[in-house]
Amino acid sequence: MDMGRRAFLRGQRLRGTVAVPCRPPWAVDEALFTRICTRCGACIAACPTGLLAQGAGGFPEADFRRAYCTFCTDCACACTKNAQESVPHQPPALTFSPDLPPWELRAAIGTACLPRQNVLCRSCEDHCEEGAIRFTLRQGSPAQPEIMESCCIGCGECVASCPVRAISMQKNPSPNLHPIPFQEKRTTQ
């Protein structure tokens, strides 16, 4: 089956004709990741929110429709431990560093968004602890959502909250966006 068609049927984003999966936070470059990841599942098992799942080829992927990332570093720590135990002298596929952002993903709102269809909804704003989604009043239509790129940390909590799946996580939606330094997201109990 064509990879582009397979990705389309699974609802994945495409770059050209090749699906680009969302890897776990602190993943190395995609080409290196698929070469050194042992597909052991340690990162998936360590993820406290259930964000990580086994994807195509057995590689771990972030599925924001299931959960969001708290940036707890558990997945990266599990990967590092497994790499040290199973393949000596090989770097782990996830390399945590407090100096590096976990990824360059940011939320993006698509045209299926309910307020853009003149239906009242603010579900994403209610779930965004960082205040990265704000609604601007518009005369004659419901308030419209805007992503404040400087506030979005890429946790993906807004994705699962959207009733019509209009929100996705995208790599660098703005070419002028600078990576946000690592900060652990608050966990809610």
Side-chain angles (χ1 to χ4, degrees):
M1 177 185 258
D2 175 18
M3 289 302 289
R5 182 172 179 225
R6 180 183 303 198
F8 172 77
L9 294 173
R10 289 184 176 182
Q12 294 175 326
R13 297 175 292 119
L14 298 177
R15 181 185 293 161
T17 59
V18 179
V20 181
C22 292
R23 295 294 178 210
W26 295 288
V28 295
D29 175 75
E30 181 69 12
L32 181 59
F33 182 87
T34 56
R35 198 168 71 232
I36 65 174
C37 176
T38 63
R39 297 175 259 192
C40 68
C43 60
I44 295 170
C47 182
T49 64
L51 169 70
L52 302 180
Q54 189 175 37
F59 293 104
E61 296 180 8
D63 184 352
F64 293 100
R65 292 173 295 176
R66 295 167 35 128
Y68 61 95
C69 188
T70 62
F71 305 113
C72 65
T73 72
D74 290 357
C75 59
C77 292
C79 181
T80 299
K81 181 180 179 197
N82 182 63
Q84 291 171 347
E85 292 174 356
S86 64
V87 186
H89 308 295
Q90 178 172 305
L94 308 178
T95 56
F96 169 72
S97 169
D99 299 329
L100 296 174
W103 47 39
E104 295 180 8
L105 298 175
R106 299 294 179 270
I109 301 174
T111 57
C113 174
L114 291 175
R116 293 182 179 165
Q117 306 299 321
N118 290 322
V119 177
L120 292 175
C121 179
R122 289 192 174 194
S123 184
C124 57
E125 180 184 46
D126 294 340
H127 286 86
C128 183
E129 292 181 26
E130 303 300 320
I133 301 175
R134 299 193 183 132
F135 280 75
T136 306
L137 295 175
R138 302 270 167 87
Q139 189 172 10
S141 68
Q144 298 295 303
E146 289 182 58
I147 302 288
M148 311 308 290
E149 290 180 354
S150 61
C151 299
C152 181
I153 61 171
C155 69
E157 193 165 3
C158 57
V159 174
S161 73
C162 181
V164 293
R165 294 189 175 178
I167 303 175
S168 61
M169 299 304 291
Q170 311 243 328
K171 187 171 183 176
N172 288 328
S174 171
N176 297 325
L177 183 65
H178 298 290
I180 296 174
F182 168 68
Q183 60 184 39
E184 187 170 338
K185 186 180 185 319
R186 298 179 301 277
T187 56
T188 54
Q189 298 292 355

